[in-house]
Amino acid sequence: MGKLQLADVENEYKKFPDLKREDVQKIREWMEKQPHLPKISDLEIILFLHSNYHRIEPTKKTIDENYTCRTHVPEFFANRDITGTEMKTALDIVVIVPLTIPTKDQYTVLYGKLLKSDATDFSFESCLKFLLMIADVIQRESGAVHGYTFVLDMEGVTMGHVARLTISTIRKFLHFLQEAMPVRLKGIHLTNVVPFIDKILMLIKPFMKKELLEILHLHSKPETLYPFVQKECLINELGGNAGSLMEIQKTFNQHMVDNRDFLIQLEKVKADEGKRPGKPKDSGAIFGMEGNFKKLDID
């Protein structure tokens, strides 16, 4: 797969006739008047516009939220060296890969699964950081797509993993997903769900909007997943014929390593609160008071 091959901007206009050059220009002109925001490419503006169904004002809000989060959530957006100790450990623990065949609705499928049932080295923050790094790469390669569907295989998840979740990390990730990420999210599917799924849902539901809850689906076995993500789209291990997970993982993880420099450079692309017009934002303004929640006590 090699180095990042950016999607062709002219092709984006052909793919989506509702995408207008004048709207991209409007966003460009608005950004030039926001001294705290970074300079970004037309392709990146297109991703934000497309995710907001080409509505100008919501696009502006998403852009500001995105780069503000990149400043205030170092857990996800700093220290992104894919060859560093943190990420090498994460890659040994979790596999997250885009699958090559889209669904019948032309949605891109992201698949995730734990590789180890031992929770000793599991870091929820590192796994989410890896997911967001993947999104940064594949979006720039694919350009705008009709939508994304995430399939999380819960095989191997234990209460030990649940005990390592934190309220603050859940809140920050779901805020970024719902308010700042330039994607059309069409489905979240948990398959091979664990008996204690109710405990996990109890932790995440307070931070999920109605729209996100509506696209969350639970599957006790892969077969009930097929109406949403067709069999031919899925890995062999889930009864599909899109290839072996280990082979896909090896190829894709190498692709991420090949783009190490790009991911490190992207750490600098964020909001500069010292230049924000009016009052600078801090974490409290974005996520609300975090109280004393650091770790969850699971009975």
Side-chain angles (χ1 to χ4, degrees):
M1 297 174 78
K3 293 282 187 181
L4 193 70
Q5 297 291 318
L6 295 175
D8 179 64
V9 168
E10 290 305 312
N11 194 47
E12 296 301 295
Y13 291 111
K14 293 174 186 172
K15 282 196 304 187
F16 296 100
D18 288 345
L19 176 65
K20 306 297 182 189
R21 294 174 194 273
E22 54 265 34
D23 288 344
V24 173
Q25 185 58 28
K26 283 177 188 174
I27 298 297
R28 167 78 58 212
E29 291 170 359
W30 169 78
M31 289 193 74
E32 286 171 356
K33 296 173 184 173
Q34 310 302 315
H36 65 294
L37 292 178
K39 306 296 182 190
I40 64 174
S41 67
D42 280 3
L43 174 61
E44 287 160 321
I45 291 176
I46 286 168
L47 292 172
F48 282 109
L49 262 172
H50 179 77
S51 71
N52 283 287
Y53 296 86
H54 313 113
R55 297 169 299 164
I56 299 294
E57 293 309 313
T59 298
K60 292 177 183 177
K61 186 173 184 298
T62 305
I63 289 172
D64 194 87
E65 286 287 341
N66 186 287
Y67 294 107
T68 301
C69 285
R70 287 177 186 269
T71 298
H72 291 292
V73 192
E75 308 97 293
F76 299 156
F77 300 108
N79 302 316
R80 288 174 132 207
D81 184 351
I82 194 77
T83 63
T85 303
E86 178 193 359
M87 295 317 300
K88 283 173 76 173
T89 302
L91 267 60
D92 285 339
I93 291 170
V94 68
V95 54
I96 306 171
V97 289
L99 302 183
T100 53
I101 303 172
T103 69
K104 65 181 180 183
D105 296 312
Q106 294 303 300
Y107 301 154
T108 296
V109 182
L110 275 172
Y111 174 80
K113 182 182 186 298
L114 285 175
L115 295 171
K116 295 180 179 178
S117 56
D118 181 355
T120 305
D121 295 322
F122 174 72
S123 165
F124 187 47
E125 289 178 356
S126 298
C127 293
L128 292 177
K129 180 192 288 193
F130 183 42
L131 172 62
L132 295 175
M133 289 165 66
I134 289 170
D136 280 335
V137 169
I138 66 172
Q139 283 194 282
R140 285 165 177 78
E141 291 183 317
S142 304
V145 299
H146 290 281
Y148 285 88
T149 292
F150 187 55
V151 176
L152 176 61
D153 189 338
M154 300 193 74
E155 184 182 31
V157 174
T158 68
M159 285 299 293
H161 294 102
V162 180
R164 287 176 171 263
L165 307 184
T166 63
I167 289 284
S168 61
T169 301
I170 292 168
R171 175 193 281 128
K172 288 174 182 177
F173 176 72
L174 287 174
H175 176 87
F176 186 77
L177 180 68
Q178 295 173 107
E179 306 294 339
M181 205 166 174
V183 296
R184 293 184 180 183
L185 189 59
K186 298 295 186 177
I188 301 174
H189 297 272
L190 309 184
T191 190
N192 293 320
V193 291
V194 290
F196 46 87
I197 185 65
D198 56 323
K199 288 183 170 58
I200 297 172
L201 293 177
M202 184 176 66
L203 301 176
I204 65 175
K205 275 187 173 181
F207 308 108
M208 295 175 73
K209 290 186 170 182
K210 177 173 172 281
E211 295 87 349
L212 197 60
L213 282 168
E214 287 174 349
I215 61 170
L216 175 65
H217 303 276
L218 308 182
H219 308 274
S220 58
K221 53 187 179 180
E223 285 78 7
T224 61
L225 179 62
Y226 298 159
F228 302 94
V229 182
Q230 291 68 53
K231 199 171 179 179
E232 62 268 21
C233 308
L234 291 166
I235 56 169
N236 300 352
E237 290 85 345
L238 283 181
N241 49 20
S244 154
L245 178 60
M246 290 303 106
E247 290 175 8
I248 296 169
Q249 179 203 23
K250 183 179 178 182
T251 302
F252 187 74
N253 282 3
Q254 183 58 51
H255 184 50
M256 293 295 288
V257 170
D258 291 343
N259 287 288
R260 172 182 179 268
D261 292 346
F262 162 76
L263 289 162
I264 292 173
Q265 280 295 115
L266 206 55
E267 291 180 32
K268 302 172 186 175
V269 184
K270 55 188 178 179
D272 183 344
E273 292 298 341
K275 295 180 180 178
R276 183 186 290 274
K279 186 180 176 183
K281 283 189 178 181
D282 58 20
S283 291
I286 305 164
F287 306 111
M289 295 300 292
E290 293 188 19
N292 296 317
F293 295 116
K294 295 296 179 190
K295 290 270 184 184
L296 303 177
D297 292 322
I298 304 296
D299 219 349

